[in-house]
Amino acid sequence: MNIIEVNNLTVNYGSVTALDNINIKIKKGEFLGIIGPNGGGKTTLLKSLLGLIDPTSGQVKVNDDRPIGYVPQFSNFDRTFPIKVLDVILLGRLEGKIKFFHKFKRNDIKRAEEIMESLDILNFKDRQISQLSGGQLQKVLIARALIMDPQVMILDEPTASLDANAKTEIYNLLKKLNIDKTIIVVSHDIGVINSYIDTVACLNKTMHYHGDDTKLGKETLESVYGCPVELIAHGNTPHRVLHVHEEEGGKK
Ligand SMILES: Nc1ncnc2c1ncn2[C@@H]1O[C@H](COP(=O)(O)OP(=O)(O)O)[C@@H](O)[C@H]1O
Ligand SMILES: [Mg+2]
């Protein structure tokens, strides 16, 4: 069953075309990695899936009643904001209705604590978010998305500013969530995500490729990134290491 279907999606911002005639079907339970250069339209596609952007033309169909869990791009989050971990996670329950002095139900707090426990961040419950490491904060943002019990989780560059260990930890967590959820993740770490994902989508305004990541070729990658890409396969299990030109893929 396709949980998401995107048909002929085009999104323009004024005179800029961010997405040009995108088609993609995402199966229930799929772990999809989206790669592509900066400005390639990855965030725009995610926001379109979430219904946060009205398409210029085409449609996005989501075959699920539950809200989609969304972990936005890290850099858009104000880490200095004085708020504690538990409250950030509970904000996920508000569904966009921000009310001052909102009183959370006992059940919401219990659920938040269960999720924190499963993500191994319960110890930080009463800590200010400014006192967390990047990896810990990313887990808090994942917990905030999980509190609505989504079937689909969408994460925009969740490992962009993390060190190698924290990256691995986040991908292991996503793999665990993938047991009963559809996962859509934007990442530049194709070398790392290779062992986690089912399919990969290469996006640079148009969809260059969507399919089995082991069949993704060097030529496709280079045409997406517009620069040389180094692929290293080793061992029996296909393992791909992608080095893209710093300017194109390395920075946010
Ligand atoms: N709110 C906006 N207004 C105008 N242009 C935008 C806006 N958001 C994104 N863009 C442009 O759309 C293109 C795709 O951006 P984006 O989806 O953020 O790409 P990515 O996430 O792959 O880096 C870029 O050219 C970007 O400058
Ligand atoms: Mg982006």
Side-chain angles (χ1 to χ4, degrees):
M1 178 193 134
N2 293 322
I3 197 149
I4 294 177
E5 292 180 23
V6 174
N7 297 311
N8 305 109
L9 175 68
T10 293
V11 174
N12 296 335
Y13 295 108
S15 60
V16 176
T17 299
L19 296 175
D20 185 11
N21 199 32
I22 301 296
N23 289 282
I24 188 168
K25 291 179 169 56
I26 303 167
K27 291 199 181 68
K28 189 174 179 186
E30 188 168 323
F31 194 143
L32 167 67
I34 301 176
I35 61 170
N38 295 319
K42 302 180 298 298
T43 298
T44 301
L45 177 60
L46 298 189
K47 286 185 175 170
S48 303
L49 302 182
L50 289 155
L52 297 175
I53 289 178
D54 284 331
T56 306
S57 60
Q59 303 94 33
V60 172
K61 247 177 74 189
V62 179
N63 301 313
D64 194 68
D65 300 336
R66 283 188 266 177
I68 296 177
Y70 180 41
V71 181
Q73 224 166 324
F74 206 59
S75 50
N76 299 337
F77 193 82
D78 182 3
R79 291 189 63 171
T80 60
F81 194 77
I83 184 168
K84 46 178 214 173
V85 166
L86 176 65
D87 293 331
V88 168
I89 296 170
L90 285 169
L91 280 175
R93 290 295 300 177
L94 287 180
E95 297 169 72
K97 292 170 280 181
I98 304 291
K99 289 186 213 145
F100 281 97
F101 309 115
H102 178 92
K103 260 196 135 81
F104 289 101
K105 295 192 189 78
R106 188 62 229 148
N107 279 349
D108 292 340
I109 296 172
K110 194 167 152 266
R111 183 72 192 121
E113 289 176 350
E114 281 166 11
I115 292 169
M116 279 186 270
E117 173 95 72
S118 72
L119 267 51
D120 209 18
I121 51 171
L122 189 55
N123 287 345
F124 310 129
K125 182 169 82 134
D126 295 313
R127 224 188 251 189
Q128 293 289 315
I129 54 162
S130 57
Q131 294 161 359
L132 298 176
S133 72
Q136 289 160 350
L137 178 57
Q138 197 55 259
K139 282 189 180 181
V140 170
L141 299 179
I142 291 172
R144 180 180 67 168
L146 283 173
I147 200 162
M148 293 304 287
D149 192 25
Q151 161 56 228
V152 181
M153 281 285 280
I154 291 182
L155 305 98
D156 199 348
E157 306 199 22
T159 58
S161 51
L162 305 184
D163 64 34
N165 283 341
K167 274 183 199 204
T168 308
E169 208 181 326
I170 293 294
Y171 284 119
N172 283 335
L173 170 58
L174 295 184
K175 193 72 198 170
K176 211 169 93 184
L177 295 175
N178 185 226
I179 292 170
D180 61 358
K181 294 183 198 310
T182 309
I183 308 287
I184 300 168
V185 59
V186 167
S187 181
H188 290 295
D189 316 313
I190 182 75
V192 184
I193 62 174
N194 180 264
S195 44
Y196 298 90
I197 59 174
D198 299 318
T199 59
V200 64
C202 302
L203 185 65
N204 189 4
K205 195 156 90 172
T206 60
M207 187 66 80
H208 288 244
Y209 178 85
H210 173 226
D212 183 338
D213 67 298
T214 57
K215 297 193 186 75
L216 174 63
K218 188 173 160 70
E219 294 73 25
T220 308
L221 281 169
E222 294 193 349
S223 74
V224 175
Y225 279 90
C227 65
V229 172
E230 208 179 307
L231 288 176
I232 307 163
H234 49 84
N236 289 328
T237 37
H239 179 86
R240 196 185 304 277
V241 180
L242 168 72
H243 298 291
V244 291
H245 191 264
E246 269 291 302
E247 290 297 306
E248 298 290 331
K251 289 196 302 190
K252 277 197 298 167

